Amino acid sequence: MVYKIQPEKLAEKNYFSCTSLAKEATVSGLSKLLLNATNESELNTYRYMQGEYYFSQGDYETSLFKWKQVQGNSLGEWAKKNCADAHLLLNQQQEAEALLQDILLTVKDQTLLLETNITNFYHYQKKQDKLKALWSMQRALSINPHYKNIKEQAFTFFNNEALQTPGLIIQLIIDSICSSDTHDSRIIWLNRLSAAINKGQLKGFSPQKLNTLLKYLISIKWEEFDELVTLIEGAYRKTNGYFEWTLVLGQALMKFDMTFWKNRRMWLSNALNYLLEHDQDITKTKNSIRYILTCWYKSIEEDRSVLYNYLKAWENRFEHSFDLKAQPTNKEIHDHLFSKRIIDGFFAWINDSKFNFPEILRFKHAFSANLEQMHLLVAGSFNNGKSSFINTVLKDEILSVDVLPTTSGAIVIQNGYESFIRSYEKNKMNEYSSLSSFKKATTIENEKDGKHSNALFHLKMENEFLEKHKVTLIDSPGFNDKEDKENPVLNYLHLADSLVFVLSTRHPFTRTERDKLLQISEAAPHVPIHFVLNKIDAVDDEEEREDVMEDVKRKINKVFPKAIMIPFSSKENSMEFRKGFEKVLPTLKKDKKFVQTRMNSVIQVFEETIASLKNQSLPQYEQGIVNDLRAIIKKENEVKQVQDEWLDFQNEITLDFQESIKDGINSLTTLMWKDVPQMIEECKKTLMPENSLNNNYEIFNREINQAITVYSNGALKSLIFQSTSSITAETHALLKRIERKSGKLNKDLTRIIGEVITVHIDTASLFSEIHSECLRIQGQSYEESIYLKSQLTEFLNLHLPDLLKDHRNKFHYNRMIKEIDDSATPNILTNLQSQFFSAYHEAEIDFTQELKYTVFDIGDQKITNHLLSLKNQKNSKALELKHFQKEKKDIEEKIKMFEVFREGALLNSKMKK
């Protein structure tokens, strides 16, 4: 059986499909082929096939023997690769690695190189040498990422492991891009680059490696270059390495031919604005901006006329030389887009900052910088129907049109999806919740003196007319009578691109109107003036109407030859007149100097805002922190005074209570030392000398028991009740004093703490807690006084007789009398006093401890919490001040950079004139 060789299958290298040899081939059949071979080529083929057969049967030693005999042509190279496979299966790694390395160094066949790298990948993966495995897979993918033998698991391993190895994935991908021969291959690797960057692998994307990539793509003038730059620049924005991007961008411009890159100017501008808008290391920012300007100036010749003045301004401001030659002689300087982006960037930076600046400046910038909108200032004499004209044009009753009221300040009416009504006056902004409140605020009758206000009103709403024609209308205050020398329109000319003056058909173009319009023209010669002849319906006859229009136009053109006059009526056929105005509107739009005029306004607002930031916002912000810190320290000292007062009050209350206890004991003791001896004297009278000792004792014992019973249930009980009642009353009085003191304490702390910035402490609970504790102790002290009374009475009833028992059989009458006088009486009194003192002292301890552990501790804890909070605030505010003072230097440097561009823009503006 003859087997035909299929060379095309060899390229795919799928083992048995490389020839027509089937699995059922036998050794004898292969041997016959070998014996019948007629030349060296056939011998090599059949030996190769024998090796494949033995390999498939698991006889790797024999397959090695057969493959090693294959020599010469490309089949010999494949046989060498197969030998490496067999060595690996025989765990002969050193021999296998040597063969695979030799193939990679000597062979040019791309399919064989693919298979060799795939074998290396699996081999090193098994050895857990991830780095070599990744490199092997990268080389395979570089040759053909669509090769079918690169299994999905290999892709998965490569992607996962590469993304976990900082820097490696970028290295692998860039090498693969630069070695790719086809567009599709580059796209695949660029997609992998995108995925790697999006997963945060930019850490390994060094400027040098990026330059390698850019250089390659520039050399082939790759059409997706902008897409790659967008990808990389966006990734750098998410990291702290944006300075590296500026370095790469500048080097690319300086080193390579970038003329094919149409958007290079845009990317330079993007980098410049990003650095200006974001707060990063100020020294690096300044160096990067200087580098970008240098590269830009040297690499793009047509932009040198614009950049020259910026570089000169930078040299003057930062004492750095750009080694500039003579100023470029370009007559045309197209600077507005460049300077506008810088200024927009400044406002983006300041809007994101923590500094307050006048809202009117924010409005002025947004208003002036919108170059797509035409700003049409509408003026007119009082009661000429100016507001009616605007309402008719907008098809909306926005402005008041009553006879008496007239516009008190300028009203900017702008199209926008975000609707709002605001006013700006004296650096303050007010919001209006309804159109009715807005109308009321915008009429002179609302002004106290009946004069025009300096307020600027801003009304934003969706409107078809404004959107369609890209127009913003500005309703200005009306002229008053001829005796009024005020010309309020002059205050708002800086907002206008064109002026439409509304005349009344009844008395058109009066001398006062002419004089004031000349005054306007002289103040703003760049603002073209046109006219609307309103209330044309006042003339019924058509011919007469034509005559009136012709006459008015003649008068106007004598003074303003280029002016256009449009008839109008808000009543008769108003929609027809409105359409007529819309037709003429394009001719009223921007003149040739529109952009430069508007940019002058933008630069002026830029200057005003920089001045406001330097002279007001920064000092005010710093002073605000200082004032907050001082306020906190003041409050802290005040709370400490309250704390001292509270501690003194605690001592005072404790001493007063102790004094009341002492007074109670003293008064009771004094009475007992008076009453008890008298009681004993009475009992002594019952003793008789002739009686036996036992009889006298029995008599005395009976009498003293009876006397004590009477005394304890009568006089002494009353004394104890009076004493304890007095102490209870004093206790209640003390508790009332504590309530009043805690109430005052609560008010003091509320007053002191309540105004501290960013702090909220519930001082109101202080009084209620102390009050409830006082009520509890009051009830407890009353119960204890009742208990004290009962205890003292019980002591007298039970223990006083026992004090006399020791004297029963010791003395005869005289000695008994003497003993009673000398010993029994003092002992009785001393023991009574001791018992009273012990009971009262225990009550004193209980009460003072109750006060301390509840009432006083509540106040202590509240005040301590206040002081701790104030201390934390003070430390936080002091740290804020320290950080700001450090940050302030960077901010001032950033402002200096913006001032450079302001000065450059001003110089370019003067050159245009």
Side-chain angles (χ1 to χ4, degrees):
M1 184 176 183
V2 178
Y3 296 95
K4 291 185 179 180
I5 299 174
Q6 298 176 338
E8 69 274 9
K9 294 293 182 180
L10 287 174
E12 293 185 7
K13 186 61 190 69
N14 194 1
Y15 287 125
F16 287 98
S17 64
C18 69
T19 68
S20 61
L21 180 65
K23 287 185 178 180
E24 61 269 15
T26 62
V27 175
S28 59
L30 291 172
S31 298
K32 289 180 181 179
L33 287 173
L34 191 63
L35 290 172
N36 295 326
T38 59
N39 55 51
E40 189 66 24
S41 175
E42 287 185 357
L43 283 172
N44 283 331
T45 299
Y46 299 141
R47 286 168 183 161
Y48 184 89
M49 292 167 63
Q50 284 181 321
E52 293 251 338
Y53 174 80
Y54 286 115
F55 189 89
S56 69
Q57 300 299 312
D59 187 351
Y60 306 127
E61 294 284 359
T62 305
S63 64
L64 272 172
F65 175 76
K66 293 296 182 182
W67 279 331
K68 286 180 179 178
Q69 295 179 27
V70 179
Q71 301 293 328
N73 57 24
S74 61
L75 203 58
E77 295 174 343
W78 277 103
K80 188 185 293 184
K81 160 66 174 57
N82 289 352
C83 286
D85 290 342
H87 281 304
L88 287 174
L89 291 171
L90 292 169
N91 202 26
Q92 298 168 353
Q93 296 184 15
Q94 189 172 354
E95 291 85 347
E97 289 177 5
L99 286 172
L100 292 170
Q101 182 63 24
D102 182 60
I103 293 170
L104 292 175
L105 293 174
T106 59
V107 171
K108 295 182 180 180
D109 185 284
Q110 295 295 297
T111 306
L112 180 55
L113 289 173
L114 262 171
E115 286 288 341
T116 303
N117 279 305
I118 292 171
T119 299
N120 267 335
F121 169 75
Y122 287 113
H123 168 57
Y124 289 122
Q125 185 183 4
K126 185 177 180 180
K127 286 181 68 175
Q128 296 186 343
D129 190 339
K130 293 182 179 179
L131 188 62
K132 287 185 178 179
L134 287 169
W135 278 108
S136 299
M137 179 53 66
Q138 182 269 332
R139 282 192 288 263
L141 292 172
S142 298
I143 297 170
N144 184 359
H146 302 291
Y147 188 59
K148 65 181 181 180
N149 284 356
I150 301 178
K151 295 181 180 179
E152 189 63 33
Q153 62 182 18
F155 272 114
T156 303
F157 173 85
F158 176 75
N159 290 332
N160 292 342
E161 293 299 327
L163 290 175
Q164 293 174 14
T165 309
L168 178 60
I169 184 63
I170 303 296
Q171 180 72 37
L172 296 176
I173 291 174
I174 291 179
D175 287 347
S176 300
I177 293 172
C178 294
S179 60
S180 296
D181 293 330
T182 66
H183 175 81
D184 289 345
S185 178
R186 281 193 293 272
I187 291 296
I188 289 172
W189 283 106
L190 284 167
N191 288 335
R192 291 182 179 276
L193 178 62
S194 174
I197 290 175
N198 289 333
K199 290 184 179 180
Q201 295 296 313
L202 201 62
K203 182 178 179 182
F205 210 164
S206 67
Q208 292 77 15
K209 183 55 63 177
L210 180 56
N211 269 324
T212 301
L213 176 61
L214 293 181
K215 182 178 181 180
Y216 169 73
L217 295 176
I218 290 167
S219 67
I220 63 172
K221 295 185 178 180
W222 189 53
E223 60 272 19
E224 285 86 7
F225 190 79
D226 267 339
E227 295 177 18
L228 176 67
V229 174
T230 303
L231 171 71
I232 298 173
E233 197 261 356
Y236 271 112
R237 283 177 180 263
K238 299 176 183 177
T239 71
N240 293 325
Y242 199 82
F243 301 112
E244 293 182 351
W245 166 245
T246 62
L247 179 65
V248 168
L249 194 63
Q251 287 178 352
L253 286 167
M254 299 292 285
K255 291 181 179 180
F256 310 132
D257 179 11
M258 302 287 283
T259 52
F260 82 97
W261 189 20
K262 297 179 181 179
N263 291 325
R264 63 191 187 280
R265 182 183 291 108
M266 180 189 73
W267 289 110
L268 284 164
S269 181
N270 285 348
L272 185 62
N273 276 273
Y274 181 86
L275 291 168
L276 286 169
E277 290 174 28
H278 293 79
D279 290 324
Q280 301 183 76
D281 183 281
I282 195 66
T283 302
K284 288 184 177 180
T285 298
K286 190 161 59 175
N287 291 338
S288 295
I289 290 175
R290 187 176 63 208
Y291 181 69
I292 286 175
L293 288 173
T294 302
C295 295
W296 195 342
Y297 183 81
K298 292 183 178 180
S299 62
I300 305 180
E301 185 176 356
E302 58 267 32
D303 289 349
R304 289 177 185 172
S305 58
V306 172
L307 294 169
Y308 180 85
N309 283 322
Y310 290 106
L311 296 178
K312 290 299 292 183
W314 188 285
E315 285 182 339
N316 296 334
R317 181 70 65 166
F318 291 111
E319 297 181 356
H320 170 83
S321 175
F322 288 97
D323 193 25
L324 299 172
K325 307 301 181 184
Q327 184 170 359
T329 56
N330 304 46
K331 293 182 180 180
E332 293 292 327
I333 297 181
H334 303 287
D335 179 37
H336 64 278
L337 293 178
F338 179 80
S339 58
K340 182 180 179 299
R341 281 205 67 183
I342 296 293
I343 296 171
D344 288 347
F346 169 78
F347 278 91
W349 171 65
I350 198 174
N351 284 336
D352 289 338
S353 71
K354 53 197 168 190
F355 311 114
N356 293 323
F357 65 101
E359 288 291 336
I360 185 65
L361 294 177
R362 202 187 308 269
F363 162 77
K364 283 182 178 180
H365 167 255
F367 185 77
S368 301
N370 189 351
L371 300 181
E372 293 183 357
Q373 288 280 313
M374 180 183 76
H375 301 157
L376 198 61
L377 180 65
V378 182
S381 298
F382 171 74
N383 207 27
N384 274 9
K386 175 172 54 68
S387 297
S388 298
F389 163 71
I390 292 176
N391 287 342
T392 303
V393 167
L394 298 179
K395 289 203 273 188
D396 202 342
E397 294 297 321
I398 294 170
L399 305 177
S400 298
V401 292
D402 296 337
V403 176
L404 290 177
T406 188
T407 307
S408 67
I411 304 171
V412 174
I413 308 171
Q414 200 171 27
N415 181 68
Y417 298 111
E418 179 192 2
S419 299
F420 58 75
I421 307 172
R422 296 171 182 164
S423 68
Y424 306 94
E425 187 172 15
K426 296 180 180 179
N427 295 335
K428 292 182 179 180
M429 183 184 75
N430 295 314
E431 295 265 4
Y432 296 91
S433 58
S434 65
L435 196 59
S436 59
S437 61
F438 161 72
K439 286 182 178 181
K440 183 177 180 182
T442 55
T443 53
I444 283 184
E445 69 173 6
N446 191 51
E447 301 296 326
K448 294 179 180 179
D449 55 5
K451 294 184 178 180
H452 299 293
S453 73
N454 292 320
L456 178 66
F457 297 89
H458 186 198
L459 191 155
K460 205 168 192 179
M461 62 178 188
E462 289 188 71
N463 183 268
E464 181 184 356
F465 173 84
L466 298 177
E467 182 179 19
K468 177 181 177 181
H469 297 286
K470 293 184 178 180
V471 170
T472 295
L473 296 181
I474 307 159
D475 183 22
S476 64
F479 294 147
N480 292 325
D481 57 43
K482 60 184 179 181
E483 296 179 359
D484 185 1
K485 296 181 180 180
E486 181 187 14
N487 190 345
V489 178
L490 295 174
N491 298 327
Y492 305 104
L493 283 175
H494 64 281
L495 301 174
D497 298 325
S498 293
L499 185 144
V500 170
F501 193 85
V502 178
L503 301 169
S504 173
T505 303
R506 294 189 178 94
H507 38 81
F509 205 57
T510 64
R511 178 174 296 179
T512 301
E513 290 175 336
R514 183 198 64 186
D515 293 344
K516 290 189 174 181
L517 283 167
L518 286 171
Q519 189 180 15
I520 290 170
S521 180
E522 184 178 351
H526 60 281
V527 177
I529 299 174
H530 303 289
F531 295 86
V532 167
L533 184 59
N534 198 18
K535 302 182 182 180
I536 195 67
D537 55 281
V539 182
D540 295 330
D541 185 74
E542 286 293 332
E543 291 185 6
E544 184 181 356
R545 183 179 293 184
E546 290 292 332
D547 292 340
V548 169
M549 290 170 55
E550 195 65 36
D551 183 58
V552 174
K553 191 168 188 327
R554 180 176 50 78
K555 290 180 180 179
I556 289 171
N557 288 148
K558 282 185 178 180
V559 184
F560 301 102
K562 296 181 180 180
I564 298 171
M565 190 197 76
I566 308 158
F568 201 87
S569 173
S570 300
K571 296 180 180 179
E572 179 189 283
N573 298 323
S574 60
M575 288 303 101
E576 291 299 319
F577 285 112
R578 181 178 181 272
K579 290 178 182 178
F581 176 72
E582 288 189 68
K583 289 180 180 179
V584 179
L585 192 59
T587 63
L588 308 183
K589 285 192 175 182
K590 313 164 188 176
D591 66 353
K592 294 181 180 179
K593 295 183 178 180
F594 158 76
V595 172
Q596 184 56 45
T597 301
R598 185 76 73 79
M599 281 308 303
N600 288 341
S601 298
V602 173
I603 294 170
Q604 182 179 350
V605 176
F606 186 30
E607 285 188 280
E608 290 177 26
T609 309
I610 288 177
S612 176
L613 184 61
K614 289 171 61 177
N615 303 328
Q616 296 178 22
S617 300
L618 285 176
Q620 286 175 2
Y621 186 85
E622 183 174 15
Q623 190 59 47
I625 299 176
V626 172
N627 291 343
D628 291 344
L629 186 58
R630 287 173 179 169
I632 293 170
I633 293 172
K634 180 183 177 183
K635 294 174 192 302
E636 186 181 38
N637 292 333
E638 289 175 346
V639 173
K640 287 179 179 178
Q641 290 178 359
V642 171
Q643 185 181 47
D644 293 339
E645 184 181 345
W646 178 242
L647 292 174
D648 291 342
F649 178 73
Q650 293 180 38
N651 295 330
E652 179 186 334
I653 290 292
T654 304
L655 290 173
D656 286 350
F657 180 70
Q658 290 172 348
E659 193 64 32
S660 68
I661 292 287
K662 183 179 178 182
D663 290 344
I665 294 174
N666 288 340
S667 63
L668 189 58
T669 303
T670 300
L671 291 171
M672 283 195 306
W673 277 82
K674 175 185 176 183
D675 292 344
V676 173
Q678 289 178 356
M679 178 186 66
I680 292 175
E681 282 297 322
E682 291 296 323
C683 291
K684 279 166 52 180
K685 293 178 181 179
T686 63
L687 300 177
M688 301 300 290
E690 62 273 16
N691 290 342
S692 67
L693 184 62
N694 286 338
N695 286 339
N696 274 335
Y697 173 76
E698 289 175 3
I699 293 168
F700 184 79
N701 189 50
R702 184 178 63 248
E703 292 297 326
I704 197 67
N705 282 338
Q706 184 178 352
I708 287 175
T709 299
V710 172
Y711 181 67
S712 63
N713 289 330
L716 186 56
K717 189 172 184 179
S718 177
L719 289 174
I720 292 170
F721 181 79
Q722 291 175 11
S723 177
T724 55
S725 295
S726 175
I727 292 171
T728 301
E730 181 64 26
T731 301
H732 288 190
L734 292 174
L735 291 170
K736 287 292 184 184
R737 285 172 60 194
I738 293 173
E739 286 186 16
R740 290 193 297 271
K741 186 67 178 179
S742 63
K744 178 180 181 300
L745 173 69
N746 181 69
K747 290 179 181 178
D748 289 344
L749 292 178
T750 302
R751 174 183 57 79
I752 294 167
I753 305 297
E755 300 172 1
V756 177
I757 297 171
T758 70
V759 169
H760 174 71
I761 302 175
D762 186 11
T763 55
S765 65
L766 176 63
F767 175 77
S768 61
E769 290 181 43
I770 290 180
H771 178 70
S772 62
E773 287 299 320
C774 287
L775 290 177
R776 185 181 64 79
I777 294 173
Q778 279 180 0
Q780 183 174 308
S781 64
Y782 178 74
E783 293 172 2
E784 289 179 353
S785 68
I786 298 298
Y787 174 73
L788 181 61
K789 294 170 190 175
S790 64
Q791 287 292 96
L792 290 174
T793 305
E794 183 181 353
F795 169 76
L796 288 172
N797 287 330
L798 297 177
H799 299 291
L800 185 58
D802 292 338
L803 294 173
L804 301 173
K805 288 180 180 178
D806 293 337
H807 306 282
R808 180 178 299 172
N809 297 315
K810 292 182 179 180
F811 309 100
H812 52 73
Y813 172 77
N814 290 331
R815 294 290 298 272
M816 186 175 182
I817 294 296
K818 190 175 187 311
E819 183 65 25
I820 288 171
D821 291 340
D822 294 344
S823 180
T825 301
N827 285 342
I828 290 170
L829 290 168
T830 301
N831 278 281
L832 281 172
Q833 183 178 355
S834 176
Q835 291 294 327
F836 296 153
F837 182 79
S838 177
Y840 278 95
H841 182 61
E842 187 177 344
E844 174 193 349
I845 291 173
D846 289 345
F847 180 74
T848 53
Q849 284 183 344
E850 281 292 321
L851 283 179
K852 172 173 173 46
Y853 295 136
T854 57
V855 173
F856 291 153
D857 281 355
I858 292 172
D860 290 344
Q861 189 60 49
K862 290 290 182 181
I863 296 173
T864 300
N865 289 343
H866 290 327
L867 286 172
L868 180 61
S869 178
L870 287 170
K871 181 181 178 181
N872 291 338
Q873 283 189 89
K874 180 178 69 175
N875 293 339
S876 175
K877 193 60 69 173
L879 188 63
E880 182 184 354
L881 179 62
K882 182 179 178 181
H883 286 168
F884 175 75
Q885 288 172 340
K886 182 180 179 181
E887 180 188 10
K888 184 180 176 183
K889 295 180 180 179
D890 290 348
I891 294 171
E892 289 170 345
E893 281 296 297
K894 179 68 75 74
I895 291 173
K896 283 173 66 176
M897 283 187 271
F898 278 113
E899 286 179 320
V900 163
F901 293 101
R902 180 204 65 192
E903 292 165 12
L906 283 172
L907 289 171
N908 285 339
S909 176
K910 291 177 181 177
M911 289 179 65
K912 288 184 181 182
K913 293 179 182 179

